[in-house]
Amino acid sequence: SSPSAGGRVGTEGVCALVYEYCRLGSLEDALLCRGAWLRKPMSGTQRFEMLYQACIGLLELHSQDILHLDFKPANVLLDGPLGADRDASAVSARIGDFGMAKRMHQLTAAPDETANSTLPTRTNRTQLWVTEGYACPEYVQTKRGSDRTDVYAMGITIFRTVTGKHPSGSGVETLKTSIERALRHGSAEEIEKRVAGLRDPVAQWCARASLRLLKLGLRCVANVPDERPRIEEVRMRTSVCARVVC
């Protein structure tokens, strides 16, 4: 079993998901400075490390033919010392909430007669199937997916982690749209200026490293699934971004 994937399945007639107790809450809590992170915001270095560990968890799931299908910061659970002096190496990440997980072959088979219906999102109070903003277009529209379905959610999670903003954005512009607009046009100086306005200021991000990370996230959220990298490449490039010297 992977140290980054916390779920276990019970036997003897009762199916249950059992998780380690993670005293630091979730990555979402850390980004919002809630709970154990109330007095000290998560640094850019810590955020890189949590993304890297989450990639390892998804890689382990995919190697076992499992898709998470609800990957997001709220489902990345954190554990480590409660003291305010903790560093990146002292915090470990666990992927939780496998309630929506499926075997890959269940989503790559021929679609059934209901495949053209759109999946309800978390904003629907009667059916909680996908989380708005993190689900890729093909899964929402056709109920079909692949390992690139989780990669899309990782891309949105990268955006959320770098900027501190929710994927739904404000007004009609989503976080994905604002990042696409910031990165795709203009000189290097103009792009850096726009990205500086997107970065979460409390994280004290390295400018070059965060720019590379956002570009990686943009590849993860490509509309065409085959244009997205596999999670192993995301893991490797996240590690490379973390080593960039500013």
Side-chain angles (χ1 to χ4, degrees):
S1 62
S2 167
S4 295
R8 299 292 185 271
V9 179
T11 57
E12 299 181 3
V14 178
C15 293
L17 295 176
V18 181
Y19 302 97
E20 299 173 54
Y21 174 65
C22 295
R23 72 188 75 189
L24 299 182
S26 68
L27 179 56
E28 181 74 8
D29 292 329
L31 295 175
L32 294 174
C33 296
R34 295 188 304 205
W37 298 93
L38 184 61
R39 290 179 296 176
K40 185 178 181 181
M42 179 175 267
S43 68
T45 301
Q46 288 173 321
R47 297 182 194 206
F48 266 121
E49 181 62 25
M50 296 307 99
L51 288 172
Y52 178 79
Q53 291 188 33
C55 284
I56 294 175
L58 285 179
L59 182 61
E60 176 67 18
L61 291 177
H62 292 176
S63 72
Q64 298 185 40
D65 194 39
I66 297 172
L67 300 178
H68 189 278
L69 299 179
D70 197 22
F71 182 82
K72 56 186 177 181
N75 288 336
V76 178
L77 307 180
L78 309 179
D79 195 20
L82 289 172
D85 59 344
R86 57 183 172 268
D87 57 25
S89 63
V91 180
S92 57
R94 302 283 189 271
I95 298 177
D97 193 352
F98 289 86
M100 305 308 301
K102 286 182 171 60
R103 293 286 184 180
M104 288 192 192
H105 70 267
Q106 292 179 277
L107 293 183
T108 56
D112 59 26
E113 60 185 9
T114 64
N116 291 327
S117 62
T118 299
L119 291 172
T121 68
R122 293 279 181 183
T123 57
N124 185 314
R125 296 191 180 188
T126 59
Q127 292 177 298
L128 307 181
W129 288 357
V130 297
T131 301
E132 186 176 16
Y134 291 91
C136 61
E138 70 273 11
Y139 183 52
V140 171
Q141 295 167 5
T142 70
K143 301 182 184 178
R144 300 181 69 184
S146 66
D147 59 319
R148 268 44 174 247
T149 304
D150 285 340
V151 169
Y152 183 97
M154 173 58 79
I156 299 297
T157 298
I158 288 174
F159 294 162
R160 173 87 175 94
T161 305
V162 173
T163 66
K165 298 178 174 62
H166 286 284
S168 57
S170 58
V172 297
E173 184 173 70
T174 65
L175 180 57
K176 177 186 174 184
T177 302
S178 64
I179 290 175
E180 286 175 334
R181 182 168 52 81
L183 295 182
R184 293 202 186 281
H185 305 289
S187 64
E189 292 77 11
E190 290 171 334
I191 290 175
E192 169 52 33
K193 183 177 180 179
R194 290 196 293 266
V195 169
L198 290 171
R199 285 193 297 265
D200 189 348
V202 303
Q204 299 180 335
W205 281 104
C206 164
R208 291 176 57 201
S210 60
L211 176 58
R212 289 193 182 187
L213 192 56
L214 287 177
K215 288 181 177 179
L216 174 61
L218 202 58
R219 289 185 58 206
C220 292
V221 299
N223 288 326
V224 179
D226 287 344
E227 293 180 0
R228 301 170 199 154
R230 293 192 181 276
I231 196 63
E232 168 60 22
E233 182 182 348
V234 180
R235 180 201 65 79
M236 178 191 68
R237 294 191 179 278
T238 298
S239 178
V240 171
C241 289
R243 295 196 298 268
V244 171
V245 177
C246 292

